[in-house]
Every structure is written in structure tokens, then in C-alpha cells.
Amino acid sequence: MLATSETRPSSLRRASGDAAELLVSVRDLGEARVAASGGVNILDFKEPSRGALAACDPSVWKSAVSEFVGEAPADRTVRLSAALGESETGPELSSHVPPEFSFAKVGPSGCSTAPKLTGLWESIRLPQPVELVPVAYADHIAAGAMSAEGVLNAVIETGRHRLLIDTFGKDGRTLTDHMTIDRLRSLLCVASEHSVWIALAGSLRLREMRSLGTAGVRPNCWGVRGDVCDQRDRTGQMDLRKVTAWRRAIGSPAN
């Protein structure tokens, strides 16, 4: 049975005038501190040198809890997210995610059918109340995965609440090289009808984010890594000025 807006948490709904959230992917505590000082809403821990959603060492997750949850000042409170890698690593790593995290996400590579994809989601054993965020790849053929539309449909049919659309290949191409504005608008429309929170990522630049917003592509959350690093190199050093520029551009309040 399809989930309705009445069965979805009200926190997932975004009113038309609400600002989107900002997610920044970080590899360690040093980068996390920079991103947090820039006012991000979600710190997403992953290792960018090893792929789209490669996990960092679980010890980093534990350290992040101590710094950003336990004794963190109220004005630095952010939500924490963990990347679990792809289908072959996600199930094993999922049990190591600290319960203080808000989210974890796993890549759908190799899951070319809905049963394979939902089977992957069911194999992820996260502690309560950590929420699994399903992922769709804009360049899904390269990942041997379902299209974004197929993944969104599976999200709706299984009663899940969130979806991240990213790119599998980190080869200089961005989300908009793989998906048209009309297609993105259509996906967001369907997601909104079913109260599914959507984050858009995929090597986006600030100017592309602004253009998408002007064209009516307004997700609940924007995800970024490379564009807030030196030389737009996703494996480079994080730049506080660039993080702040993203936050100001989307009007995202610090949580």
C-alpha cells in the first residue's frame, strides 16, 4: 500500500517558502568542524577518495558523536549521517553506526531490480533510531542499478521516507549532465505528493544549484562535497568560505 501524507512524519514535509537543508560530506573530524562552523544542517561522513559513498573508518563515527552530540554547544548542534558504501559493504557496516546518528545511506550498485534493491535495504541493520536513506544514482546504468524513478517508486511502495539522488561516477560530470531539469522537477513532484524528503547531490556547483532553484527544482536538501573543497577537488581540503557561500545561497538556517 502506498504511504500517504497522513502516515508520514510532519518533519518531512517542506512548505513552499521553507529553506532547504544543507548536507556537506566530510572525511574526518577536522573537516566536520569546518563544515559545522559554516552552519550546515547535516554532517555526512564518508571517504571521498574511494568512491561515491565509501565509508570512513567507524572510529570517526564514534569520535563525531563525542564532539557533536554529547558535549556539543547548543549552537553547533547538527545531525550526523554515515555512508556505508555499496551493496557489498553496507550490511556489515550498518551495525557499527552509533545510535546517536540520524541517518545512514547505502549505494544501490548491482541492484538492478526492485526485489534486489528492497532486499538490500532490509539487510541493513541500523540501531534505533538511525534512519536508512535510500540512494538513487543519476548515472544508474554505470552502477548496474535502477533508475531514479524506479528507486523512488520502491521508496514509496515500501513506506520509506527519504531519498538521495547522487552520481556514481566522479568523473567531472554533474547531476545535470545525467538528468534534465524537467526530469528532476517530475521526480520532486512525485516525491512531494507522497511526502518523501529528497536530497540532490552529484558534484553540483553553486551556480548549478542556483540555476536549478530558479527553474523550480527545489529539493528538501542539497548535498555537496567537491564544490566546498580547494580547486573543486573532492579529495582536497575543505574551505569554510565555500561552505558559508552555499549556506547563504540556499538560506539554510543553522540547526
Side-chain angles (χ1 to χ4, degrees):
M1 182 176 68
L2 294 183
T4 66
S5 59
E6 287 74 18
T7 64
R8 298 288 174 131
S10 59
S11 62
L12 299 178
R13 304 170 198 152
R14 178 184 169 200
S16 58
D18 289 350
E21 294 182 295
L22 176 61
L23 175 153
V24 170
S25 293
V26 297
R27 70 189 337 161
D28 55 33
L29 281 185
E31 290 191 347
R33 293 181 189 115
V34 172
S37 66
V40 306
N41 304 97
I42 302 171
L43 291 172
D44 175 50
F45 288 86
K46 69 180 181 183
E47 178 42 64
S49 68
R50 296 202 300 264
L53 296 178
C56 61
D57 191 285
S59 64
V60 177
W61 302 340
K62 294 178 182 179
S63 297
V65 169
S66 298
E67 175 136 353
F68 296 101
V69 179
E71 301 298 326
D75 63 353
R76 287 184 60 191
T77 300
V78 294
R79 287 174 289 168
L80 306 180
S81 173
L84 303 177
E86 299 295 327
S87 54
E88 66 275 10
T89 62
E92 179 181 356
L93 285 172
S94 61
S95 63
H96 297 286
V97 177
E100 294 86 357
F101 270 51
S102 295
F103 312 114
K105 58 188 190 294
V106 61
S109 62
C111 297
S112 56
T113 66
K116 286 183 179 180
L117 184 61
T118 56
L120 170 63
W121 296 343
E122 291 166 2
S123 72
I124 302 298
R125 304 297 181 188
L126 295 168
Q128 293 292 337
V130 184
E131 183 179 359
L132 177 66
V133 178
V135 175
Y137 285 133
D139 50 343
H140 66 99
I141 295 176
M146 296 174 65
S147 68
E149 289 83 358
V151 177
L152 175 57
N153 188 58
V155 166
I156 294 168
E157 290 187 345
T158 57
R160 296 182 182 274
H161 303 154
R162 301 179 190 269
L163 175 64
L164 165 68
I165 301 178
D166 202 345
T167 51
F168 178 68
K170 301 303 179 180
D171 54 7
R173 289 181 292 176
T174 74
L175 178 73
T176 53
D177 290 318
H178 300 288
M179 302 183 74
T180 66
I181 288 175
D182 285 345
R183 188 177 170 196
L184 288 166
R185 269 199 302 251
S186 177
L187 277 163
L188 291 176
C189 182
V190 173
S192 178
E193 289 173 356
H194 294 279
S195 298
V196 174
W197 177 100
I198 280 197
L200 294 183
S203 302
L204 288 169
R205 300 174 179 87
L206 188 56
R207 66 175 181 269
E208 291 167 334
M209 182 276 287
R210 289 181 171 130
S211 295
L212 286 168
T214 300
V217 177
R218 300 186 181 96
N220 302 91
C221 180
W222 295 99
V224 63
R225 166 72 194 180
D227 203 46
V228 295
C229 291
D230 293 339
Q231 307 300 318
R232 291 204 74 253
D233 179 357
R234 65 193 304 271
T235 65
Q237 295 295 311
M238 188 155 293
D239 188 323
L240 174 58
R241 293 172 300 174
K242 294 180 179 181
V243 174
T244 303
W246 264 84
R247 178 181 177 260
R248 289 175 176 168
I250 65 177
S252 172
N255 279 347

